[in-house]
Amino acid sequence: MSLSDHPRAYGTAALAVAFIAGIVVTLGFKDLYPELESRYERRQKRYGKLGTASARSRRGSILFGPVSLEDREEPSASMTALGRAGGIVDGIEGTIGNTPLIRLRSLSAATGCEILAKAEFLNGAGGSPKDRVALSMIEAAEEQGLLSPGRGDCIYEGTVGSTGISLAVLARARGYHAHICMPDDMAHEKSDLLHHLGATVERVPVAPITDPAHFVNLARARAQQHTAAADTPSRGFFADQFESRANYTAHMKTTGPEIVAQTDGRLDAFVAGAGTGGTIAGVAKHLKEAAGLAGLRVVLADPQGSGLYNKVRHGVMYSATEREGTRRRTQVDTMVEGIGINRITENFEAGRGLIDDAVRVTDEQACRMARWLVEHDGVFIGSSSAVNCVAAVVTALKMPPGSRVVTILCDSGTRHLSKFWKHIAAMGLEDDTQEQHEDLLALLGIQRSQPVAIRM
């Protein structure tokens, strides 16, 4: 009796042979699989998509041997920048993103929580989170035909410093000019740096946003005048960082995913200040919406004199202490630069509904925190970063012990020498090593609060 006389037996034998052959082939190629997996994960991580790897199809055929696992989605210049951990990057743009997440040991020890800080001052173009924003705005303008390299186009922006510096660097790298308008009460090292970067700088008197002479309005007008000029084919592009969607989307697409990857998605609070509002809005949108961290607390860090604290806590911008004529400055009554504002921008509005709380930080607290971090952690930061760190401590004290709080270190203290750090020296903090002030909370005048329950 042959197998051909019994189809069922024949089929069973064929399946058995195929099964055994499959085992043999699998064992033959098993040593190749770890390398394939490693290559696949490295590629996914490079473009910030490691979290979605499980959702992608892994194509291959055992019978025809191993195949490479590829991500066929072409990354943008912004996403390519996230892969700068090693190897060669293409131009200065390649140094933007993938900044380290630093555990601030002294703050963690003082609060009983793990306080982590995204070191945005290590971005390689302009040394701040505004590198991400500047690149995003330029790329968006190029896609829309508003900027074209080699035509003599000029990028105009109203800024207190960091965005202008990032734009000046990237403008030169991509074939444009930069024209920066800024308030005349900003630290001089910022405008000096802009001059050295080849930008045209206008330092203008401080004015309310309703005044055509306000630095933002002036930059807009300069761009319009450039484009309208009949004697040149070049165009003026107003970057408009306060209202441009490219601002918060830059953080939604890069900063937020990086934080999730660096923490394995294990974080309980995110704390950040708001000038344009792009950082806190973009990161909050990714963490709460895209990453699904619904129980995360997003906390605004706001300097004294800013109206955003009141907007988050009480739903209104106004407070009696912020009447016209009661502030040293027309814009915001603080020495802190880069954050704090008395109007709602499109960027802040994009994420306002995701902000759970706000912490108001005084200038004195910011100064003491900046000096504390130098003495205890070797971290030299600017004023907005110090505000973020104070607010991170306040937030951590409201959280259960062991919670993880992430904040932002915006820029280096080297951009704040003539104003913020000069004031720190005038306070006598640099003469006092704070060895007798080992209690951070007492130094900042902060009391421990009852921990809040973390929503699950």
Side-chain angles (χ1 to χ4, degrees):
M1 181 177 63
S2 66
L3 286 174
S4 60
D5 295 329
H6 297 278
R8 180 176 298 179
Y10 179 80
T12 301
L15 287 173
V17 171
F19 180 75
I20 294 172
I23 293 176
V24 172
V25 173
T26 300
L27 291 175
F29 287 105
K30 65 180 178 64
D31 291 335
L32 294 176
Y33 292 147
E35 175 59 20
L36 286 173
E37 180 72 12
S38 176
R39 287 168 56 190
Y40 181 76
E41 291 187 354
R42 285 199 301 270
R43 182 177 178 84
Q44 292 294 313
K45 187 173 183 180
R46 180 177 182 182
Y47 299 123
K49 301 170 185 174
L50 186 59
T52 62
S54 60
R56 297 185 181 274
S57 173
R58 302 188 178 190
R59 303 176 181 88
S61 171
I62 292 178
L63 294 179
F64 295 97
V67 296
S68 62
L69 300 170
E70 298 182 1
D71 179 2
R72 297 188 180 277
E73 182 178 337
E74 291 297 326
S76 66
S78 296
M79 294 307 294
T80 302
L82 300 182
R84 70 180 177 97
I88 298 172
V89 298
D90 186 22
I92 195 68
E93 298 94 328
T95 67
I96 299 173
N98 200 32
T99 54
L101 194 61
I102 301 173
R103 179 179 294 103
L104 296 177
R105 292 186 293 235
S106 72
L107 305 191
S108 299
T111 61
C113 293
E114 187 176 28
I115 296 183
L116 307 175
K118 188 82 166 131
E120 289 293 278
F121 64 88
L122 293 179
N123 275 304
S128 80
K130 298 302 184 179
D131 283 355
R132 303 175 188 265
V133 174
L135 180 58
S136 179
M137 292 190 299
I138 290 174
E139 289 178 336
E142 290 173 339
E143 290 174 1
Q144 298 169 32
L146 301 177
L147 285 173
S148 181
R151 190 171 61 187
D153 291 354
C154 183
I155 301 171
Y156 293 82
E157 183 59 298
T159 169
V160 297
S162 291
T163 303
I165 292 167
S166 297
L167 283 171
V169 172
L170 293 172
R172 287 298 185 184
R174 298 175 83 94
Y176 309 116
H177 301 286
H179 186 120
I180 306 302
C181 299
M182 63 190 305
D184 61 4
D185 62 347
M186 294 296 105
H188 279 277
E189 48 266 34
K190 293 182 180 181
S191 54
D192 291 345
L193 177 56
L194 284 165
H195 280 297
H196 289 303
L197 290 172
T200 299
V201 182
E202 282 190 74
R203 290 178 67 99
V204 301
V206 175
I209 189 64
T210 54
D211 191 329
H214 184 275
F215 64 100
V216 172
N217 298 331
L218 185 61
R220 181 187 293 106
R222 293 283 187 261
Q224 293 170 346
Q225 293 165 4
H226 182 138
T227 302
D231 59 346
T232 174
S234 66
R235 301 187 62 171
F237 169 67
F238 175 49
D240 199 13
Q241 61 167 328
F242 287 89
E243 312 301 333
S244 172
R245 288 175 55 88
N247 184 340
Y248 80 81
T249 55
H251 294 291
M252 186 171 65
K253 292 179 179 179
T254 65
T255 317
E258 288 176 23
I259 290 173
V260 171
Q262 289 168 320
T263 61
D264 293 325
R266 295 187 297 105
L267 65 158
D268 303 300
F270 174 71
V271 179
T276 65
T279 301
I280 193 168
V283 173
K285 285 180 75 66
H286 180 81
L287 296 181
K288 284 196 170 184
E289 296 178 350
L293 301 177
L296 178 84
R297 288 184 64 79
V298 176
V299 179
L300 171 73
D302 212 32
Q304 63 185 51
S306 172
L308 297 181
Y309 170 87
N310 290 321
K311 189 66 175 178
V312 172
R313 294 293 298 269
H314 309 298
V316 295
M317 293 287 288
Y318 175 81
S319 77
T321 59
E322 292 161 8
R323 295 192 306 271
E324 289 294 334
T326 65
R327 299 191 297 267
R328 292 191 303 271
R329 293 181 55 209
T330 304
Q331 183 188 15
V332 175
D333 183 19
T334 179
M335 71 176 63
V336 175
E337 298 180 1
I339 60 174
I341 195 170
N342 277 316
R343 69 182 192 275
I344 297 294
T345 66
E346 288 294 329
N347 279 278
F348 186 79
E349 187 63 28
R352 183 162 64 94
L354 301 174
I355 301 175
D356 301 291
D357 200 0
V359 174
R360 171 160 286 166
V361 179
T362 67
D363 285 354
E364 181 177 354
Q365 287 175 319
C367 290
R368 292 186 180 279
M369 172 60 77
R371 190 60 200 168
W372 172 278
L373 287 173
V374 168
E375 292 293 338
H376 293 81
D377 295 89
V379 175
F380 185 52
I381 55 174
S383 56
S384 58
S385 302
V387 170
N388 286 346
C389 289
V390 173
V393 167
V394 173
T395 299
L397 294 174
K398 297 179 180 179
M399 308 289 287
S403 297
R404 179 176 278 180
V405 178
V406 175
T407 192
I408 302 289
L409 298 182
C410 307
D411 60 2
S412 167
T414 55
R415 292 186 185 171
H416 301 260
L417 296 176
S418 65
K419 185 178 177 183
F420 182 64
W421 278 95
K422 183 177 181 179
H423 187 77
I424 289 174
M427 292 174 65
L429 297 179
E430 292 187 333
D431 299 327
D432 179 1
T433 62
Q434 298 188 13
E435 290 179 352
Q436 71 271 35
H437 296 300
E438 291 304 318
D439 186 344
L440 173 64
L441 305 188
L443 185 70
L444 298 177
I446 297 173
Q447 295 183 345
R448 291 187 178 274
S449 304
Q450 186 69 27
V452 299
I454 297 179
R455 299 188 304 275
M456 300 301 293

